Amino acid sequence: MTHIDPVILTQELIKCPSVTPAEGGALQLLEALLTQEGFACTRISRGGVENIHARWGNEGPVLGFGGHTDVVPTGDEGLWTHAPFSGALTEDGILWGRGAVDMKSGVAAFVAAAIEQVRTKPPAGSIALLITGDEEGPSQDGTRAILDWMAEAGEGLDFCIVGEPTSLARVGDTVKIGRRGSMTGTLTVRGSQGHTAYPERAVNPLPVLAQICVRLADQPIDLGSTHFQPSTLALTTMDVGNPASNVIPAEGRAVFNIRFNDTQTSDSIMVWVDQIVRAISHNGPCEAEVDWHVSGESFLTQPGPLTDVVVDAVTDLTLERPALTTGGGTSDARFIKDICPVVELGLVGDTMHQTNERVPSEDIRTLTGLYAEIIDRFFG
């Protein structure tokens, strides 16, 4: 029986041009491999996105792994040392290509580890792999579609590891046990247009817009919590769309992004912003409103027996205890946390999304070993 080399599997996946939301052959490759190894594979298609749920075993407990094969665009391919979809492995052991870090390597690592486990030491339980093609896109028809299908099919998870590149300096030095929530607000302040020579005939919305933005930027949201830093607000743009210096505009807009911790919810953040907006615009001549887009709520997997499985496996194999953190952006763990405890463990993410994305092949083997140890300890 042929050994599943995670480095070779990563190379094969990189050669699939799966720029989101294109499948590019990556899921087809994995589906064929996993079916051959006895996994029951279900292709879940929604909104033009392809996803796979693969399960080995029929009993509980169920250990899950989550990951994605879609990648961000390559940018100018002429700037790459090696073609972005070549999967080039150089003599120094570096594997090059789009998805080498984020995160075809992570998928290859948990697929290889899961196959090795069911071949050599079939677990007393089940292993489920959730592989999506929509993590780098809108994230509406990827992991969410898999979870919707699981709910309808009566499938569940008891614990899940997401293979995002979360390590900082070496593989396994960081395990994410939560993520901040993320939401974006678009503030619009409306007045009435007029000539700058006759300001009394107009209502200028820009002073009100500026006051609200200054207050939002300067006023702390909270002080943080045990596992999270204080929530933050970052102004990302202020737009008027007024090319004329002798015209008072009718309205102005500002966009801001808030990353919030587990002391907040998106609802509480909306109330906080609304209080500031109303305090400045109340009974004034301008109208102000905020439109919201919530990308995900904050969540925390409390340290305990399940996280100890991961921490102990990493500590024993790397001889260093990983840090438990909640920093960084959002990931599909924000959806999986609704059905089971979830943590994230993956490669060092230094070159993800960059030109010349690359990873030491030995890091992929190390990650595969960590996943194998976690599987063994979970079922042991």
Side-chain angles (χ1 to χ4, degrees):
M1 193 173 293
T2 305
H3 171 69
I4 305 299
D5 187 324
V7 176
I8 293 176
L9 181 55
T10 303
Q11 285 182 285
E12 293 174 349
L13 290 172
I14 289 174
K15 292 176 183 178
C16 300
S18 52
V19 176
T20 193
E23 187 269 335
L27 292 177
Q28 183 178 348
L29 186 159
L30 292 171
E31 185 175 14
L33 173 62
L34 290 165
T35 299
Q36 177 182 308
E37 297 294 335
F39 284 75
C41 294
T42 301
R43 182 70 73 94
I44 301 160
S45 304
R46 193 172 82 179
V49 175
E50 297 294 317
N51 311 282
I52 290 176
H53 176 276
R55 175 166 172 164
W56 187 96
N58 298 308
E59 306 295 332
V62 184
L63 174 62
F65 286 88
H68 63 92
T69 56
D70 63 316
V71 297
V72 297
T74 63
D76 184 351
E77 295 191 14
L79 298 177
W80 287 70
T81 302
H82 301 277
F85 297 116
S86 66
L89 182 61
T90 50
E91 291 184 0
D92 55 359
I94 304 299
L95 178 58
W96 300 69
R98 179 59 84 224
V101 176
D102 189 14
M103 61 164 290
K104 290 181 174 181
S105 49
V107 172
F110 66 62
V111 166
I115 289 175
E116 185 67 18
Q117 181 75 22
V118 301
R119 282 180 177 180
T120 61
K121 190 177 179 181
S126 300
I127 299 175
L129 309 181
L130 284 59
I131 308 173
T132 175
D134 186 37
E135 198 275 345
E136 300 291 7
S139 298
Q140 296 296 319
D141 298 306
T143 296
R144 282 179 167 178
I146 299 176
L147 296 177
D148 289 346
W149 175 86
M150 289 175 64
E152 294 175 2
E155 295 279 350
L157 297 173
D158 293 291
F159 185 43
C160 188
I161 296 100
V162 173
E164 285 287 343
T166 53
S167 298
L168 296 178
R170 61 169 182 80
V171 179
D173 64 4
T174 304
V175 174
K176 289 193 182 296
I177 58 171
R179 290 273 188 168
R180 295 175 298 173
S182 177
M183 58 195 298
T184 297
T186 300
L187 168 66
T188 302
V189 180
R190 297 183 178 89
S192 61
Q193 184 174 316
H195 198 294
T196 56
Y198 305 96
E200 69 279 3
R201 299 177 184 177
V203 177
N204 195 335
L206 299 190
V208 174
L209 178 70
Q211 290 179 58
I212 294 174
C213 288
V214 168
R215 184 75 62 81
L216 289 173
D218 287 349
Q219 185 167 316
I221 301 174
D222 54 56
L223 299 177
S225 64
T226 301
H227 294 285
F228 286 86
Q229 66 188 69
S231 300
T232 61
L233 182 149
L235 288 161
T236 58
T237 187
M238 298 177 70
D239 300 297
V240 179
N242 179 19
S245 63
N246 62 346
V247 174
I248 294 172
E251 66 178 35
R253 291 186 178 87
V255 179
F256 52 91
N257 180 259
I258 298 176
R259 301 298 171 115
F260 57 96
N261 58 43
D262 60 342
T263 69
Q264 307 287 348
T265 65
S266 59
D267 287 340
S268 69
I269 294 291
M270 289 180 192
V271 170
W272 178 80
V273 171
D274 185 64
Q275 289 173 342
I276 291 175
V277 172
R278 287 180 178 276
I280 294 173
S281 63
H282 183 62
N283 291 331
C286 295
E287 296 180 356
E289 64 178 12
V290 181
D291 292 324
W292 292 101
H293 172 71
V294 180
S295 300
E297 299 289 340
S298 63
F299 72 93
L300 176 70
T301 297
Q302 287 287 351
L306 290 175
T307 59
D308 286 348
V309 169
V310 177
V311 170
D312 292 345
V314 173
T315 302
D316 286 353
L317 265 64
T318 67
L319 303 182
E320 292 188 46
R321 188 174 180 83
L324 302 181
T325 72
T326 57
T330 58
S331 75
D332 279 0
R334 70 189 189 273
F335 307 129
I336 298 172
K337 56 88 177 171
D338 291 336
I339 68 168
C340 72
V342 57
V343 300
E344 298 173 65
L345 170 63
L347 296 173
V348 176
D350 285 351
T351 64
M352 61 180 177
H353 292 204
Q354 295 182 10
T355 299
N356 284 334
E357 183 177 352
R358 61 198 181 276
V359 61
S361 58
E362 192 56 37
D363 283 4
I364 301 175
R365 301 189 194 282
T366 298
L367 184 62
T368 304
L370 293 176
Y371 289 157
E373 185 68 16
I374 290 168
I375 294 171
D376 195 52
R377 287 171 180 261
F378 179 84
F379 291 108

